[in-house]
């Protein structure tokens, strides 16, 4: 029997009507480790290869591998692969020392169903270090550190002990005012500071929304391809996620699909395709949401960085029925570790979500809120955004030129904005090319992995904003040596 046959027969053994595909892949790998066919240190097949062997999507295998890593069965090394991290066959249950594996195995821990679903998402950690072409990071070397330090010192000097006490769970009023003003001016959001809820991240916003609005089995519509963080938040709430395809006008609205309780989308700059949701579809979705009583979650994660046209105003501003929950973040506009984001809530959701916030973790630290409010009120935020927009646009242009000149096999998809650029690769070559890039120390985040259903493209999502032009050129020069 070939390896593929062995995997397939174990996969069928793991079959049980109660299990989803990802759990069956996990069960297959755990079983292989337990019976010793995958000994300590053995390398697992690449996710795409196993996906082909088992006839499941690569996303499913990726999610399974990530879950198995969280459970301590595997360790994944960038550019090298996934390896067995535990010796179960010899009966000693010894685990490899690794900073990325957890101490215990989930099977030995009685997690709640919600807990199991949460671990089952595989998590959604963002890259922690600067590397060409890791996605999603702004340029921290261009951040006005001296000014930030000055504003921080000023806040500390003013010596108000109010900043050291417990704060308003909805967020510092001065920051909420600044956010409401900024959103009205730049995103045509219609709100007052009373509707703004300050949080640590878009991810926390999505988790809070999922927790408060979704029961297990509720239908959630999501764009496909789409944002994994959102998928993880809704999956951990037990949502029945319906993947809606995306075309050049954004999410395709198929109103024949099961009626949703919530629709999550990135209308201004679809993640990851970069398309903008057309006005006709915005209106159709808003009417539909009102008719069926669904919530719309508008994730406006990087609309500050649209380069060649005016950004499309928010969907929230078009909503006449108070159905849209608007989500924004400072992770890209300022810096990710600031851990500051916000939602603009429909009036009916303010009190319940603020109460829930007190049950979560109280509120965001007050000092960074106060500094951010000052940064905005004094006009530094708009100035910083203007500068970064110019800087990132010029870097995007450098990347486009380098790709056209050196990598004719990587086709830029939709370069209108954002901190990363989607590129299409020759069909069936993504895994091979990614492996070769990783061997050169270059991260090439997968575009295909963001698809939930078939029809996925082979491609990369190349983060460029944090890289200086010579770093972009050097990385593309290096990639030019690999074989397409
Ligand atoms: C669509 C989308 N929403 C939200 C975020 C992250 O925001 P935060 O760091 O505030 O969770 C990202 C990060 O890449 C994103 O791509």
């Amino acid at each position: 029997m070939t390896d593929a046959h062995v995997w397939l027969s174990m996969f069928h053994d793991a079959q049980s009507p109660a299990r989803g595909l990802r759990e069956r892949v996990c069960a297959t790998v755990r079983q292989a480790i337990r019976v010793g066919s995958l000994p300590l240190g053995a390398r697992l097949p690449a996710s795409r290869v196993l996906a082909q062997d088992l006839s499941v999507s690569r996303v499913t295998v990726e999610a399974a591998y990530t879950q198995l890593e969280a459970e301590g069965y595997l360790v994944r090394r960038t550019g090298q692969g996934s390896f067995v991290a535990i010796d179960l066959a010899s009966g000693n249950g010894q685990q490899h020392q690794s900073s990325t594996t957890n101490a215990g195995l989930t099977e030995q821990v009685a997690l709640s169903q919600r807990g199991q679903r949460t671990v089952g998402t595989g998590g959604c950690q963002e890259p922690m270090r600067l590397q060409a072409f890791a996605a999603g990071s702004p340029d921290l070397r261009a951040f006005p550190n001296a000014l930030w330090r000055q504003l921080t010192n000023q806040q500390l000097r003013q010596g108000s002990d109010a900043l050291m006490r417990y704060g308003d769970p909805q967020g510092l009023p001065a920051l909420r005012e600044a956010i409401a003003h900024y959103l009205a001016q730049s995103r045509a959001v219609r709100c007052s500071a009373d509707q703004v809820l300050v949080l640590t991240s878009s991810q926390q916003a999505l988790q809070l929304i999922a927790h408060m609005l979704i029961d297990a089995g509720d239908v959630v519509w999501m764009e496909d391809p789409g944002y994994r963080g959102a998928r993880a938040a809704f999956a951990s709430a037990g949502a029945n996620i319906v993947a809606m395809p995306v075309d050049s006008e954004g999410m395709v609205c198929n109103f024949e699909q099961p009626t949703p309780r919530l629709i999550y989308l990135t209308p201004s700059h679809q993640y990851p395709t970069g398309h903008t949701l057309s006005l006709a579809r915005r209106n159709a979705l808003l009417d539909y949401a009102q008719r069926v009583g669904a919530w719309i979650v508008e994730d406006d994660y990087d609309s500050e960085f649209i380069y060649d046209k005016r950004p499309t105003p928010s969907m929230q501003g078009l909503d006449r029925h108070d159905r849209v929950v608007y989500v924004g973040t400072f992770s890209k506009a300022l810096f990710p570790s600031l851990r500051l984001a916000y939602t603009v809530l429909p009036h009916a959701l303010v009190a319940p979500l603020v109460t829930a916030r007190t049950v979560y973790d109280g509120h965001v630290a007050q000092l960074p809120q106060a500094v951010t409010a000052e940064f905005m009120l004094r006009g530094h935020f708009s100035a910083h955004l203007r500068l970064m927009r110019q800087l990132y646009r010029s870097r995007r242009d450098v990347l486009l030129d380098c790709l056209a000149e050196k990598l004719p096999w990587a086709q830029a998809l939709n370069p209108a904005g954002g901190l990363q650029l989607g590129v299409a690769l020759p069909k069936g070559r993504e895994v091979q090319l990614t492996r070769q890039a990783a061997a050169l120390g270059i991260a090439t985040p997968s575009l295909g992995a963001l698809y939930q259903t078939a029809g996925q493209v082979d491609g990369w999502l190349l983060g460029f904003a944090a890289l200086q032009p010579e770093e972009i050129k050097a990385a593309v020069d290096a990639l030019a040596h690999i074989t397409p």
Side-chain angles (χ1 to χ4, degrees), residues 51-241:
Q52 267 163 8
D53 290 350
L54 303 181
S55 301
V56 299
S57 83
R58 185 172 166 212
V59 176
T60 303
V61 177
E62 277 291 331
Y65 279 12
T66 311
Q67 176 173 341
L68 289 162
E69 181 174 41
E71 292 175 359
Y73 282 95
L74 304 183
V75 58
R76 308 189 75 187
R77 300 197 190 101
T78 313
Q80 295 176 35
S82 305
F83 300 87
V84 176
I86 188 162
D87 178 11
L88 288 179
S90 70
N92 65 9
Q94 187 191 352
Q95 262 182 302
H96 250 343
Q97 285 302 310
S98 160
S99 60
T100 52
T101 55
N102 289 347
L105 300 178
T106 309
E107 274 189 342
Q108 295 164 353
V109 179
L111 292 179
S112 66
Q113 288 196 1
R114 193 189 311 108
Q116 288 174 35
R117 287 194 301 259
T118 304
V119 173
T121 64
C124 38
Q125 195 182 340
E126 300 290 337
M128 293 198 299
R129 65 186 180 96
L130 176 66
Q131 185 189 11
F133 285 107
S137 179
D139 188 358
L140 305 179
R141 291 173 287 187
F143 188 75
N145 281 313
L147 174 60
W148 194 262
R149 225 176 3 255
Q150 193 187 323
L151 293 176
T152 306
N153 287 338
Q154 222 162 58
Q155 288 297 321
L156 289 169
R157 257 199 318 276
Q158 280 169 5
S160 156
D161 64 357
L163 287 185
M164 296 165 78
R165 298 187 191 283
Y166 285 116
D168 184 339
Q170 196 170 344
L172 196 72
L175 179 60
R176 287 194 276 121
E177 287 289 350
I179 290 171
H181 180 74
Y182 160 70
L183 292 178
Q185 298 287 310
S186 65
R187 304 296 304 124
V189 168
R190 297 179 339 137
C191 73
S192 71
D194 294 344
Q195 289 168 266
V196 176
L197 169 61
V198 179
L199 295 160
T200 56
S201 58
S202 304
Q203 193 58 40
Q204 190 183 44
L206 296 170
Q207 190 61 33
L208 180 64
I209 290 163
H211 188 105
M212 294 300 288
L213 300 179
I214 299 300
D215 284 317
D218 282 350
V219 172
V220 171
W221 289 3
M222 271 196 67
E223 299 155 329
D224 187 29
Y227 181 46
R228 284 169 102 154
R231 200 184 302 152
F234 298 123
S236 69
N240 171 12
I241 296 174

Side-chain angles (χ1 to χ4, degrees), residues 126 135-137 200-204 206 226-228 230 264 266 269-271 299-302 327-332 336 339-341 420:
E126 300 290 337
S137 179
T200 56
S201 58
S202 304
Q203 193 58 40
Q204 190 183 44
L206 296 170
Y227 181 46
R228 284 169 102 154
Y264 166 87
T266 47
H269 187 233
Q270 203 273 330
Y271 181 89
D299 185 350
D300 208 23
Y301 66 107
D302 72 354
V327 178
T329 179
F330 289 109
S331 285
K332 322 283 172 195
R339 298 287 78 196
L340 263 189
Q420 56 252 331

